């Protein structure tokens, strides 16, 4: 199969080509009529027109035929986009949250980054935890709404490895714009290595930063597998240090920026549901270092 985005691209070119031909035809007829029936030729007499039944039939039938052709091509593209009988190699659940993404690989949860193997049909089961969001990675496939209370499906297929950017495409509140998706397409072996690492519990145990996290309200919202932190309102942080960004794209992820984010999330993502937790400088240092070490 080929990426669903390719089917959309092909259909767009065909429809665009037809529209271009119609545009040229209409403009040519217009220019001809302006030239043929210009006032200087008719010398004061009003132009007269006779009924032309064949012409009327033609300009009724031609658009109907063109629309029928586009309709059939669209049905074909829709079938291809939906997978067209090719079974997916894997199902991943994607959940939209205000304002971040959660991707669950059989219960192993990753925030804001979707890893998939290259040249492999993947089906996403898309849901929402709160309001309507829309999953959209333009280079890989169509938009698909994420609705509270029902599941939508989206076929993904990537032809080449690399990083693909996406964005929530349905206005979902104040931080809608900072709801970025990053799809990382890897070779099958790289993907399996990554997923096996993600499935492991937290890499670091007994650090000062872990103590800070477990003794503050962080645990109400965040899970770190292997520790007592088991909140589900916010992103799973078990391997947060391995991710490229903080806050669904607002900051690159390194220890210095993590510390700045923890010190005042509202400064970087106003309206975010992550509160400012009052922590001492020493606690912030320890917590940021700990989260950075969770790779
Ligand atoms: Cu989520 Cu816009």
């Amino acid at each position: 199969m080929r990426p669903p985005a390719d089917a959309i691209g092909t259909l767009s070119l065909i429809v665009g080509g037809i529209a271009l031909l119609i545009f040229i035809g209409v403009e040519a007829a217009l220019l001809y009529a302006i030239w043929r029936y210009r006032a200087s030729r008719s010398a004061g007499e009003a132009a007269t027109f006779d009924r032309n039944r064949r012409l009327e039939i033609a300009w009724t039938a031609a658009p109907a035929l063109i629309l029928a052709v586009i309709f059939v091509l669209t049905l074909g593209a829709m079938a291809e986009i939906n997978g067209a009988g090719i079974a997916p190699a894997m199902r991943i659940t994607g959940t939209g949250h205000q304002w971040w993404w959660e991707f669950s690989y059989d219960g192993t949860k990753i925030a804001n980054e979707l890893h998939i193997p290259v040249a492999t049909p993947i089906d996403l089961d898309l849901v929402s935890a709160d309001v309507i969001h829309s999953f959209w990675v333009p280079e890989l496939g169509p938009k698909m709404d994420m609705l509270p209370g029902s599941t939508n499906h989206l076929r993904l297929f990537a032809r080449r490895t690399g990083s693909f950017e996406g964005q929530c495409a349905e206005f979902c509140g104040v931080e809608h714009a900072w709801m970025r998706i990053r799809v990382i397409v890897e070779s099958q072996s790289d993907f399996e290595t990554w997923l096996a690492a993600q499935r492991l519990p937290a890499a670091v145990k007994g650090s000062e930063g872990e103590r800070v996290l477990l003794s503050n309200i962080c645990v109400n919202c965040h899970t770190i597998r292997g520790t007592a932190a088991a909140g589900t309102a916010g992103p799973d942080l078990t391997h947060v240090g391995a991710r490229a960004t903080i806050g669904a794209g607002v900051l690159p992820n390194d220890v210095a920026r993590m510390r700045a984010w923890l010190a005042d999330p509202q400064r970087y993502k106003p309206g975010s549901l992550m509160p400012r937790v009052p922590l001492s400088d020493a606690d912030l240092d320890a917590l940021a270092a700990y989260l950075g070490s969770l790779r």
Side-chain angles (χ1 to χ4, degrees), residues 97 99 101 131-134 167-173 176-177 179:
H97 295 262
W99 291 274
W101 310 87
V131 300
I132 300 176
H133 304 274
S134 182
Q167 165 69 40
C168 180
E170 183 74 43
F171 181 72
C172 55
H176 158 70
M179 201 166 157

Side-chain angles (χ1 to χ4, degrees), residues 93-128:
T93 302
T95 306
H97 295 262
Q98 286 177 317
W99 291 274
W100 56 284
W101 310 87
E102 182 169 75
F103 299 106
S104 173
Y105 299 73
D106 298 324
T108 300
K109 293 174 177 171
I110 321 295
N112 305 319
E113 271 179 27
L114 174 64
H115 288 241
I116 58 172
V118 70
T120 308
I122 304 291
D123 270 7
L124 287 180
D125 298 325
L126 297 174
V127 296
S128 170

